[in-house]
Amino acid sequence: MKTVKRPAETEAPIHDLLRHRWSPRAFDSRPVEPEKLRAVFEAARWAASSFNAQPWFFIVATKDDPENFKRVLDCLVEFNQGWAKGAPVVALSVARMKFEHNGEPNRHAFHDVGQAAANLALEATNLGLQIHQMAGILPEKAREIFGIPEGYEAVAGIALGYPGDADSLPDKLRERELAPRERKPVSSFVFTGHWGKPSPIVARNR
Ligand SMILES: Cc1cc2nc3c(=O)[nH]c(=O)nc-3n(C[C@H](O)[C@H](O)[C@H](O)COP(=O)(O)O)c2cc1C
């Protein structure tokens, strides 16, 4: 099988898993082994969270369960449906917005769902899989379709699978799939002393 790799070009050496995580839109039709699916959610489970509240939830469906697969797809905006339908696994992440222990708002609920998703993404990379997260979802539709209770919010969509052949995508998406991966320099977001003052700690020619 063709393996699609798009390692990050980094300013400093980082772990291979981080370099090799990326967000494909072309997925191989090969199903994901159940033990690998269990492993990626186990990785999510071990994310850190404020008060160890673990405010993350996932609604997941595999393509061999066409009814539930379609229900998750229906919660994505049309653009995302267009390519995510080619993934063997789709999911929605959901945040519990209040702490269980005192009912107070959890200001870090989305943050912690993001941490769980990052864990999931790295475990996926470790297993030869990749995920593609999506802000383009229809949260109220997800609430209706899946009965997501009040106090919980759908956060993001997730497509998961083995990366596939970029040629399977329409022209515009294929170009984006193969374009160089880009990031702002580290000095543009790490400051010391004052907002906006690039930290000498991350200066490139130290
Ligand atoms: C929270 C979140 C929401 C995103 N939403 C979308 C989306 O709706 N549609 C899409 O095609 N890509 C989406 N992406 C993918 C980003 O565009 C992608 O992560 C970014 O371009 C960096 O590329 P990389 O993940 O390959 O490094 C999203 C990513 C994240 C983390």
Side-chain angles (χ1 to χ4, degrees):
M1 198 198 87
K2 182 174 158 194
T3 46
V4 186
K5 292 198 168 168
R6 300 182 70 217
E9 283 184 24
T10 63
E11 293 179 18
I14 59 172
H15 197 285
D16 258 359
L17 269 183
L18 297 165
R19 284 185 67 229
H20 287 287
R21 183 215 59 80
W22 67 288
S23 304
R25 292 195 180 87
F27 285 93
D28 199 88
S29 58
R30 168 151 77 119
V32 177
E33 298 82 343
E35 64 275 17
K36 291 195 176 182
L37 271 183
R38 274 197 296 276
V40 298
F41 289 111
E42 182 69 26
R45 179 184 178 213
W46 288 100
S49 61
S50 175
F51 284 97
N52 198 17
Q54 305 159 58
W56 47 74
F57 297 81
F58 297 91
I59 297 170
V60 60
T62 56
K63 208 168 242 170
D64 56 15
D65 174 4
E67 194 185 326
N68 280 315
F69 190 85
K70 182 177 180 308
R71 292 168 84 210
V72 176
L73 274 189
D74 284 346
C75 298
L76 307 181
V77 299
E78 211 178 308
F79 167 74
N80 285 331
Q81 281 189 26
W83 58 264
K85 64 175 189 264
V89 184
V90 287
L92 293 167
S93 61
V94 177
R96 180 170 47 226
M97 303 304 292
K98 289 185 175 169
F99 287 112
E100 267 179 312
H101 69 276
N102 61 8
E104 290 296 318
N106 180 357
R107 200 171 87 80
H108 292 92
F110 269 47
H111 173 276
D112 290 347
V113 172
Q115 296 224 97
N119 271 19
L120 194 158
L122 291 175
E123 187 59 40
T125 303
N126 181 45
L127 297 169
L129 299 158
Q130 294 292 353
I131 73 167
H132 196 130
Q133 299 176 71
M134 293 163 267
I137 60 168
L138 305 167
E140 289 315 309
K141 196 161 180 190
R143 186 182 300 290
E144 198 184 300
I145 291 180
F146 292 107
I148 299 171
E150 201 191 321
Y152 295 71
E153 296 284 340
V155 177
I158 298 174
L160 167 80
Y162 293 96
D165 190 348
D167 287 344
S168 65
L169 295 170
D171 287 354
K172 267 209 171 131
L173 289 186
R174 185 176 60 240
E175 271 169 38
R176 281 165 76 175
E177 194 86 342
L178 301 173
R181 296 181 60 213
E182 287 181 353
R183 287 299 189 270
K184 296 173 183 171
V186 180
S187 59
S188 72
F189 64 86
V190 182
F191 307 146
T192 293
H194 198 275
W195 179 259
K197 193 164 171 270
S199 174
I201 291 166
V202 295
R204 291 192 78 168
N205 300 315
R206 262 181 109 221

